Amino acid sequence: MQDSSLIDEVLGRYRQALDPDYRRYRGHVYRVYHYTRHLISRAGGDPSPDDHAIAVAAAFHDLRFATDQTLDYLPPSIASATEHLESLGLADLAPAVGRMIGFHHKLTPYRAEGASLVEPFRRADLVDLFAIPGVGVPFDLRREAQSSYPICGFRGFVCRTLLVGALKQPWRPLPMVRW
């Protein structure tokens, strides 16, 4: 499994804000990145032309959840990703990255514009967060990814943050979920 310089650059920039959850978040980001690339390949596509978009979306998709410990994190994560893309001269990727981040917690399959990127990304996040079998990520790949990028208690971190967020805003317990 190869690291991505784009992911490492983003995570390095936010390392202090992510502490003490840096390793947890980094592992999640890389597992989602590799699962997404696999799912695109499995569907007959080539993930290489979209690698920058996949890497940036992976790096930012839950960033504000991890740094701000808030459940209403999708718009700020999209805004941060867009700013980063503009600083790299890759603003043309912002719509695709925004869709990938904005719909990665959609409960039903994504079938609208950009589905060839958004749906594999959504499924990759589900596989990593819930260890859901049968969505196209083979056990061997998951084992290799978890060996290269350990979970380090990521699921426990998510559960704790969800609980704190629900207690802070009980009238909006899951604002990031989409139908």
Side-chain angles (χ1 to χ4, degrees), residues 15 18 42 52 54 78-79 115 119 132 134 146 148-149 154 177:
R15 186 175 189 130
L18 285 164
R42 185 172 178 263
H52 290 344
I54 297 165
I78 293 168
E119 183 58 16
I132 295 175
Q146 290 174 11
S148 298
Y149 309 105
F154 181 74
V177 174

Side-chain angles (χ1 to χ4, degrees), residues 26-131:
R26 182 179 188 273
H28 175 61
V29 165
Y30 269 109
R31 290 187 305 273
V32 168
Y33 169 75
H34 286 293
Y35 297 165
T36 300
R37 290 180 53 79
H38 170 78
L39 289 167
I40 291 169
S41 293
R42 185 172 178 263
D46 177 7
S48 299
D50 297 311
D51 194 63
H52 290 344
I54 297 165
V56 172
F60 282 98
H61 80 283
D62 288 334
L63 184 68
R64 294 305 182 185
F65 176 80
T67 60
D68 303 350
Q69 310 255 317
T70 179
L71 301 184
D72 203 5
Y73 65 91
L74 294 178
S77 292
I78 293 168
S80 294
T82 300
E83 288 172 20
H84 186 74
L85 288 165
E86 289 170 355
S87 76
L88 297 175
L90 298 171
D92 57 316
L93 298 180
V97 169
R99 283 189 296 273
M100 291 165 69
I101 294 170
F103 291 100
H104 81 276
H105 287 302
K106 189 172 183 323
L107 297 176
T108 57
Y110 181 88
R111 300 187 198 290
E113 182 181 0
S116 62
L117 279 176
V118 176
E119 183 58 16
F121 191 79
R122 184 190 75 81
R123 288 173 49 206
D125 188 64
L126 277 173
V127 167
D128 192 57
L129 188 57
F130 298 113

